[in-house]
Amino acid sequence: MVPGNRFERRKQRTRQDILRAAERVLADKGLFDAKIADIAEEADIGVGTVYLHFQTKEALTEAVVEDTVTRLKDTVDRARASVESVVDKVRVSTQALCRFAHANRAVFRVVFGRGGGYHDIVRRAQTMFAADIERTLAEGVAQGVFRVGSAALAAQALVGMSTQLLAWWAEQDTTSIDEVEATITHLTLHGVGRTDEGV
Amino acid sequence: MVPGNRFERRKQRTRQDILRAAERVLADKGLFDAKIADIAEEADIGVGTVYLHFQTKEALTEAVVEDTVTRLKDTVDRARASVESVVDKVRVSTQALCRFAHANRAVFRVVFGRGGGYHDIVRRAQTMFAADIERTLAEGVAQGVFRVGSAALAAQALVGMSTQLLAWWAEQDTTSIDEVEATITHLTLHGVGRTDEGV
Amino acid sequence: MVPGNRFERRKQRTRQDILRAAERVLADKGLFDAKIADIAEEADIGVGTVYLHFQTKEALTEAVVEDTVTRLKDTVDRARASVESVVDKVRVSTQALCRFAHANRAVFRVVFGRGGGYHDIVRRAQTMFAADIERTLAEGVAQGVFRVGSAALAAQALVGMSTQLLAWWAEQDTTSIDEVEATITHLTLHGVGRTDEGV
Amino acid sequence: MVPGNRFERRKQRTRQDILRAAERVLADKGLFDAKIADIAEEADIGVGTVYLHFQTKEALTEAVVEDTVTRLKDTVDRARASVESVVDKVRVSTQALCRFAHANRAVFRVVFGRGGGYHDIVRRAQTMFAADIERTLAEGVAQGVFRVGSAALAAQALVGMSTQLLAWWAEQDTTSIDEVEATITHLTLHGVGRTDEGV
DNA sequence: TATGAATGAGGTTTCATTCAT
DNA sequence: TATGAATGAAACCTCATTCAT
């Protein structure tokens, strides 16, 4: 009823159109070869309209990245909160991460793949994820379930491993996401070493 | 002695000057904000001279990356060849990688850090490293020392873990390279799990 | 009373709102940095509404200038008509000009200050003022009261002197308008020369 | 002989080419409708070359204005220094100003005409000229030759009168520069009043 | 071989104007 | 009549590459 709402709704829809178009174009051309004109054309709007919604090209790409990172963090946080044991936390957060990558393959490639780390926001995101994992690791160590030298370093390493492997996976077509999930989970919990020695 | 040789030597020296200058500028400004003019100035030569040695900017950055990757691969290969057991191969190649990162901090940041994966050559390098590790893993599995689902996936994951952690380390100043090495080795062999349960 | 009148009155009021807002914005940002969007916001209306009242940006700024020039000319004309002698005409028209500048400082700065002469309308206005002054000068010369080489040139020069000095005055805060008036009047009638030599 | 000199000479020649082309284009199209591309074409060079010599469009127009103002000030200063009496100083500096305007008609129109005052540098220049004149006026007053209320205000007014009249003259073709000079000199010394009353 | 001024295609960004509601 | 999101032409500026010296 209120006119402001109608305008506002339309504006928000256009904003979402731009974000989705940007995701597609960025995934297609990469973070540095994507031109604003390409994105505008993909969204089927004028170039000026992009600047009505985002102050600079930088701001647009940051919005794409931030949008993705926020959704991913929500997903992983919810998964982690749904279980109790630290081992389960590792399992389900890995599962959530892989499922997200599977459902958002193109944009995942943009954000965590080639050139993704170029943006501060990705680094901040990795730091956030690492902080969460560090807490779980510390808890596991306290419970005598985990053993790591430095929880902080280990967390950083595990985030690196997961994102790199998923970025690699997202670039090719020969591996199922389930295999990736199994690999991450197994390496995280046991590394490459045998754990059945006494069996 | 022959004049041709003297010219050739001078030419090679200039080429090396450019490569070293490029490493510094790339590390300083990043892969996309580094201008050819910056590199020429850092090398204290004219811009035109750069184009006498490298056909395009792309060729120059690839040369920087390739130079680094080649030296790194030599180092790791030699280390790996110096020992027999698969566990030792993991240990010494991790050690070699970390020492190289320590000795080539700036350029390591360029090649494996933010935006590094943007270049095909880095991806090819990661694939090469992964292939070597995959062979070691397969050998270890055959010996009953290692246990992994897919050696190929695990190798990719371990390369990702190592390079990401080292890239992170190279950006900051609070962690010693030895801690990093210990973390990578431990996670690779055991993950975060306890392996002394029966002890 | 008639509906048409009410609409008409409202329309005229909006038009005046836009003109006043334009004066403020133009004075604030200058003739070339003032955006239509700025003016619309200052007037608290939509940008589209501006175009219901003025066909182009040019038309709006011309309206601002013309409005000011018209009011100024009315004021000066009335003053000039109120006295008889040519010397008094000089005195009172200078006085009227200064009082107008004092009462319309911001818009005076726009119209006669920096960049003002960019618009044809200002040049036409100066020509109109100059024509009036020229007539007074010619009359004074005929009466043997004034002595000038070319009344046309002198008129142009006097208009330039007055508007420039007032534009300068309008930009700063250290001089009273009365001093300015005295200066213009004195220079117009006597220049910098002593006129009391024989006294 | 020294290569640097040859490069430097060529560079300076291009710089001058650009400045001259800019003067022509600015005079032709005005300070705000002149595009960098127009100037580059007029100078018969690439657009990039303009930016090799001037950091921004603003810097280029400032250079044009500053160049003109500097030459003008030199001319007037030299003229003023060549005579002793304050009345002669008024005469010869007016003469120098008019001759400069005559010899640099197009660029004079740019700098002191429509839109010229938009640039700070023009305002600063007017202030400098006014300061010189103020000193002469004060000297004349001390000698009992001149009579003004405020030397500062009078100086500002006289600068305004001269530049405005010359800008007007530069726009049209019907008046000789000598008439303009005579008018400025006469108005400056005597205003419009008769000074021969007692004769 | 070395130089660095010159080039110009191509990118980002602005803003007067339009038009569907 | 009023609105403000949308438009796109056109401007500024960058920088990899060339070329005359």
Side-chain angles (χ1 to χ4, degrees):
Chain A
M1 286 302 173
V2 190
N5 274 353
R6 206 178 59 234
F7 278 126
E8 197 54 32
R9 270 200 311 277
R10 174 133 46 119
K11 196 170 179 180
Q12 285 310 316
R13 202 187 319 159
T14 301
R15 191 191 149 93
Q16 289 304 316
D17 288 348
I18 296 171
L19 279 173
R20 295 306 151 244
E23 285 180 8
R24 287 192 297 272
V25 173
L26 289 170
D28 195 37
K29 307 207 170 189
L31 216 40
F32 297 95
D33 292 334
K35 312 304 170 204
I36 288 287
D38 299 333
I39 294 170
E41 195 181 20
E42 175 76 22
D44 198 27
I45 56 166
V47 279
T49 308
V50 174
Y51 285 88
L52 198 62
H53 293 269
F54 301 93
Q55 284 212 305
T56 63
K57 184 191 176 182
E58 186 72 11
L60 171 55
T61 58
E62 287 235 331
V64 169
V65 172
E66 184 141 40
D67 185 61
T68 304
V69 164
T70 304
R71 284 188 297 132
L72 172 55
K73 184 144 172 46
D74 281 356
T75 307
V76 173
D77 281 353
R78 219 171 306 120
R80 194 196 312 278
S82 70
V83 293
E84 283 298 316
S85 85
V86 289
V87 170
D88 281 347
K89 278 182 197 291
V90 168
R91 279 189 215 283
V92 297
S93 57
T94 299
Q95 186 185 56
L97 176 61
C98 290
R99 286 185 181 173
F100 184 91
H102 190 244
N104 301 272
R105 194 163 180 152
V107 72
F108 195 94
R109 218 164 66 198
V110 174
V111 173
F112 291 101
R114 52 174 183 168
Y118 190 76
H119 277 285
D120 258 0
I121 181 115
V122 171
R123 288 210 287 270
R124 269 181 281 135
Q126 295 219 357
T127 303
M128 276 172 11
F129 285 119
D132 287 341
I133 292 180
E134 184 182 343
R135 234 172 298 121
T136 303
L137 291 184
E139 198 181 339
V141 169
Q143 294 171 7
V145 178
F146 293 158
R147 155 173 295 195
V148 290
S150 154
L153 281 185
Q156 195 71 41
L158 294 173
V159 170
M161 177 174 75
S162 306
T163 54
Q164 283 287 100
L165 185 58
L166 283 166
W168 170 83
W169 164 83
E171 298 278 3
Q172 42 102 66
D173 266 327
T174 58
T175 316
S176 82
I177 189 68
D178 291 332
E179 287 180 276
V180 172
E181 185 189 329
T183 299
I184 297 175
T185 304
H186 183 262
L187 286 175
T188 300
L189 292 177
H190 311 296
V192 300
R194 292 186 60 185
T195 52
D196 55 350
E197 296 177 38
V199 180
Chain B
M1 292 295 175
V2 194
N5 273 353
R6 205 177 66 234
F7 282 126
E8 191 56 30
R9 275 202 307 278
R10 169 136 25 133
K11 189 173 174 182
Q12 284 309 315
R13 201 186 319 155
T14 303
R15 191 190 147 93
Q16 289 304 314
D17 287 349
I18 296 170
L19 279 173
R20 296 303 151 248
E23 286 180 7
R24 288 193 294 273
V25 173
L26 289 170
D28 195 36
K29 306 206 169 187
L31 217 39
F32 297 95
D33 292 334
K35 316 299 173 212
I36 287 287
D38 299 332
I39 294 169
E41 195 183 21
E42 175 77 21
D44 198 25
I45 57 166
V47 277
T49 308
V50 174
Y51 283 87
L52 291 178
H53 293 268
F54 301 92
Q55 284 216 303
T56 64
K57 184 190 179 184
E58 186 72 11
L60 171 55
T61 58
E62 289 232 331
V64 169
V65 172
E66 186 142 42
D67 185 63
T68 305
V69 164
T70 303
R71 286 188 296 130
L72 173 54
K73 183 145 173 48
D74 280 356
T75 309
V76 173
D77 281 352
R78 218 172 306 121
R80 192 196 313 275
S82 70
V83 294
E84 282 299 314
S85 84
V86 289
V87 170
D88 281 346
K89 281 182 195 293
V90 167
R91 281 190 214 282
V92 298
S93 57
T94 299
Q95 187 185 55
L97 177 61
C98 290
R99 286 183 181 175
F100 183 90
H102 190 243
N104 300 272
R105 194 165 180 151
V107 72
F108 195 94
R109 221 166 64 198
V110 174
V111 174
F112 293 101
R114 54 171 183 169
Y118 189 74
H119 277 286
D120 258 1
I121 182 112
V122 171
R123 287 210 288 272
R124 268 182 282 136
Q126 296 219 355
T127 303
M128 274 172 12
F129 285 119
D132 286 342
I133 292 180
E134 183 182 344
R135 234 173 299 120
T136 304
L137 291 184
E139 201 182 335
V141 168
Q143 295 171 7
V145 178
F146 293 159
R147 157 172 295 195
V148 289
S150 153
L153 281 185
Q156 194 70 42
L158 294 173
V159 170
M161 176 173 76
S162 305
T163 54
Q164 282 287 100
L165 184 58
L166 282 165
W168 170 83
W169 164 82
E171 299 277 5
Q172 43 102 63
D173 267 325
T174 58
T175 315
S176 83
I177 190 67
D178 291 332
E179 286 179 277
V180 171
E181 185 190 328
T183 299
I184 295 176
T185 305
H186 183 262
L187 285 175
T188 299
L189 293 176
H190 311 296
V192 299
R194 296 185 59 184
T195 53
D196 56 351
E197 297 181 34
V199 180
Chain C
M1 291 302 171
V2 195
N5 272 354
R6 206 176 66 233
F7 283 126
E8 192 56 30
R9 274 201 307 279
R10 168 134 28 132
K11 189 174 176 182
Q12 285 308 315
R13 200 187 318 157
T14 302
R15 192 190 147 92
Q16 289 305 315
D17 287 348
I18 296 171
L19 280 172
R20 295 305 150 244
E23 286 181 7
R24 288 192 296 272
V25 173
L26 289 171
D28 195 37
K29 307 207 170 186
L31 216 38
F32 296 96
D33 292 335
K35 316 299 173 214
I36 288 287
D38 299 332
I39 294 169
E41 195 183 21
E42 175 76 22
D44 199 26
I45 57 167
V47 277
T49 309
V50 174
Y51 283 87
L52 291 178
H53 293 269
F54 301 93
Q55 284 217 304
T56 64
K57 184 191 180 184
E58 187 72 12
L60 170 56
T61 58
E62 289 233 331
V64 169
V65 172
E66 185 140 41
D67 183 62
T68 305
V69 165
T70 303
R71 286 188 296 131
L72 172 55
K73 184 145 172 47
D74 281 356
T75 308
V76 174
D77 281 353
R78 218 171 305 120
R80 193 196 311 278
S82 70
V83 294
E84 282 299 315
S85 85
V86 289
V87 171
D88 281 347
K89 280 183 197 292
V90 167
R91 281 189 214 283
V92 297
S93 56
T94 299
Q95 187 185 55
L97 177 62
C98 291
R99 286 184 180 173
F100 183 90
H102 190 243
N104 301 271
R105 195 165 179 151
V107 72
F108 194 94
R109 221 166 64 197
V110 175
V111 174
F112 292 101
R114 54 172 183 169
Y118 188 76
H119 278 284
D120 259 0
I121 181 110
V122 171
R123 287 210 288 272
R124 269 182 280 137
Q126 295 218 357
T127 303
M128 275 172 15
F129 285 118
D132 287 342
I133 292 180
E134 183 183 342
R135 235 173 297 122
T136 303
L137 290 184
E139 199 182 338
V141 169
Q143 294 170 11
V145 179
F146 292 159
R147 156 171 296 194
V148 289
S150 154
L153 282 185
Q156 194 71 40
L158 294 174
V159 170
M161 178 174 75
S162 307
T163 53
Q164 284 286 101
L165 185 57
L166 283 165
W168 170 82
W169 163 83
E171 298 278 3
Q172 42 102 67
D173 267 326
T174 58
T175 316
S176 83
I177 191 67
D178 292 332
E179 285 180 276
V180 172
E181 185 189 328
T183 299
I184 295 175
T185 304
H186 183 261
L187 285 175
T188 300
L189 293 176
H190 312 296
V192 300
R194 295 186 57 186
T195 53
D196 55 350
E197 297 179 36
V199 181
Chain D
M1 286 299 173
V2 191
N5 275 352
R6 207 178 59 234
F7 278 126
E8 197 54 33
R9 270 202 308 278
R10 173 130 47 117
K11 197 172 178 180
Q12 285 309 316
R13 200 187 320 156
T14 302
R15 190 191 149 93
Q16 289 305 316
D17 287 348
I18 296 171
L19 279 173
R20 295 306 151 242
E23 285 180 7
R24 288 193 295 273
V25 173
L26 288 171
D28 195 37
K29 306 206 169 188
L31 217 39
F32 297 96
D33 292 335
K35 312 302 170 205
I36 288 288
D38 299 333
I39 294 170
E41 196 181 20
E42 174 77 21
D44 198 27
I45 55 165
V47 278
T49 308
V50 175
Y51 285 91
L52 198 62
H53 293 268
F54 301 93
Q55 283 213 306
T56 62
K57 184 193 175 180
E58 186 72 11
L60 171 55
T61 57
E62 287 234 331
V64 170
V65 171
E66 185 142 41
D67 186 61
T68 305
V69 164
T70 304
R71 286 188 297 131
L72 172 54
K73 182 143 173 49
D74 281 355
T75 308
V76 173
D77 281 352
R78 218 172 306 121
R80 192 197 313 277
S82 69
V83 294
E84 283 298 315
S85 85
V86 289
V87 170
D88 282 346
K89 280 183 197 292
V90 168
R91 280 190 215 282
V92 299
S93 57
T94 299
Q95 188 185 55
L97 177 62
C98 290
R99 286 185 180 172
F100 184 90
H102 189 243
N104 302 272
R105 193 164 180 152
V107 72
F108 194 94
R109 219 166 64 199
V110 174
V111 173
F112 292 101
R114 52 174 182 166
Y118 189 76
H119 276 283
D120 257 0
I121 181 115
V122 171
R123 288 210 286 270
R124 269 181 280 137
Q126 296 220 355
T127 303
M128 275 173 12
F129 285 120
D132 287 342
I133 292 180
E134 182 181 344
R135 236 173 295 121
T136 303
L137 291 184
E139 201 182 337
V141 168
Q143 295 171 9
V145 179
F146 293 159
R147 155 171 299 195
V148 290
S150 154
L153 281 184
Q156 195 70 42
L158 293 173
V159 169
M161 177 174 74
S162 306
T163 54
Q164 283 287 99
L165 185 57
L166 283 165
W168 169 83
W169 163 83
E171 299 277 4
Q172 42 101 66
D173 267 325
T174 59
T175 316
S176 82
I177 190 67
D178 291 333
E179 287 180 275
V180 172
E181 185 189 328
T183 299
I184 295 175
T185 305
H186 183 263
L187 286 176
T188 300
L189 292 176
H190 312 296
V192 299
R194 295 186 59 186
T195 54
D196 55 352
E197 297 180 36
V199 181

